[in-house]
Amino acid sequence: MPELPEIENIRQTLEHLGTVGRKFQSVELRRQGLRTPFPPQMSQKLKGQTIKGISRRAKFLLFETEEFVILSHLGMTGFWRTEQSAHYKKHDHVIFHFNSGPQLILNDTRRFGILDLLEKSKLNKSVWLKYLGIEPLASDFSGDLLFTKSRHLKCTIKSFIMDQKRIVGVGNIYASEALFRAGIRPTRKAMTIKHDEANALVESIKKVLHEAIASGGSTIRDYRDPNGNQGGFQERFSVYNREGSSCLQCGHPVKAKVIVGRNTFWCPNCQH
DNA sequence: CAGATAACCTGCGTGC
DNA sequence: TGCACGCAGGTTATCT
């Protein structure tokens, strides 16, 4: 489900809801795990710990306490929501109970998500974060960098920008959208991207991610922020999910094709 | 070894 | 109405 803009939106919404400062009473695990087993002794370890901050790395949400970091990846269908009463829904797998304020509930239909607990000092060495690439919204993510890193690579430019070992946070929606804005076909080999195209692509990635964050992310089916609100960026897709419809820029029909296992959309007239 | 594909899991829309 | 099939925001184990 969620790519960088959705995770960032969840992070900001949780902050606005006053999650920072809450103290854990218990953690209720309603099954053994998701994609991986839940960490042992989670409730015992977190009891009495206070959430000091909520940050994001790639598509991971990180809840920091005095001693630990709770690491949450939402896979395809995961989301967090707050709930005043103990009224649970199907696929509510984890409930954070605090000393005050609403409960925080992790719901994940397909269970592709991850929830882990790490000692603070072991965070950066953890297998989850160790191999992650550069943050696309960081100032050192530049056209120069993308150009240099993509030389001699035979993979498509689409799979390049979606590879979390290289660039983090860009998933299937924003890959198509960024390539459209940059005028680059997703089928191009990464090694054929010219220097000025690399510059345009990096600018497009940053811009599309910023715009998506500002409009609350994209809701295709499951995504909700912790208040239960849908995103708004799906109404502003240029190409994603628009196969056969007219390109908003030139009127040509939008094409679709599966690339590295994911459906991919582009305008054959605007993108070269 | 880089790159492509299958598998993990549930639900929903489509077409017969 | 029912059922089979394909497809969905991600990642990784397994192939070629």
Side-chain angles (χ1 to χ4, degrees), chain A residues 75-260:
Chain A
M76 290 274 255
T77 53
F79 64 95
W80 288 94
R81 75 166 200 284
T82 54
E83 186 85 65
Q84 292 289 344
S85 62
H87 186 257
Y88 303 136
K89 299 178 182 174
K90 200 171 182 183
H91 308 302
D92 283 349
H93 304 308
V94 177
I95 300 112
F96 287 175
H97 298 278
F98 300 109
N99 285 357
S100 65
Q103 311 162 59
L104 198 51
I105 302 176
L106 175 61
N107 184 293
D108 186 353
T109 302
R110 291 173 73 182
R111 308 202 300 270
F112 289 168
I114 297 162
L115 186 70
D116 203 359
L117 181 65
L118 299 162
E119 285 172 39
K120 264 186 176 173
S121 58
K122 294 180 180 163
L123 179 67
N124 290 325
K125 291 172 219 151
S126 88
V127 65
W128 304 120
L129 305 188
K130 200 158 50 164
Y131 301 108
L132 290 176
I134 190 168
E135 286 287 336
L137 299 182
S139 54
D140 53 350
F141 176 55
S142 64
D144 279 353
L145 185 144
L146 188 145
F147 181 75
T148 306
K149 299 264 183 195
S150 60
R151 295 309 86 187
H152 312 301
L153 289 181
K154 292 177 196 161
C155 65
T156 62
I157 187 62
K158 191 211 181 194
S159 54
F160 178 87
I161 62 174
M162 285 179 67
D163 183 346
Q164 303 296 298
K165 290 191 281 297
R166 300 189 163 111
I167 303 159
V168 302
V170 178
N172 204 37
I173 292 176
Y174 300 107
S176 282
E177 291 296 311
L179 285 162
F180 171 79
R181 290 176 183 228
I184 299 168
R185 290 196 188 194
T187 48
R188 288 266 299 280
K189 301 289 181 198
M191 60 190 288
T192 70
I193 299 300
K194 310 286 178 220
H195 202 283
D196 60 333
E197 291 177 318
N199 288 336
L201 181 52
V202 166
E203 286 317 300
S204 298
I205 290 171
K206 288 175 189 277
K207 222 174 156 190
V208 80
L209 294 177
H210 277 303
E211 280 179 33
I213 292 168
S215 41
S218 302
T219 299
I220 302 299
R221 40 190 347 128
D222 302 289
Y223 174 71
R224 298 291 185 281
D225 77 13
N227 286 316
N229 295 323
Q230 301 195 15
F233 196 72
Q234 66 281 359
E235 280 149 40
R236 295 165 58 181
F237 288 163
S238 297
V239 287
Y240 188 83
N241 252 348
R242 297 194 66 246
E243 181 181 15
S245 301
S246 305
C247 171
L248 302 172
Q249 208 164 264
C250 76
H252 275 66
V254 171
K255 281 202 73 167
K257 180 190 166 187
V258 174
I259 300 177
V260 283

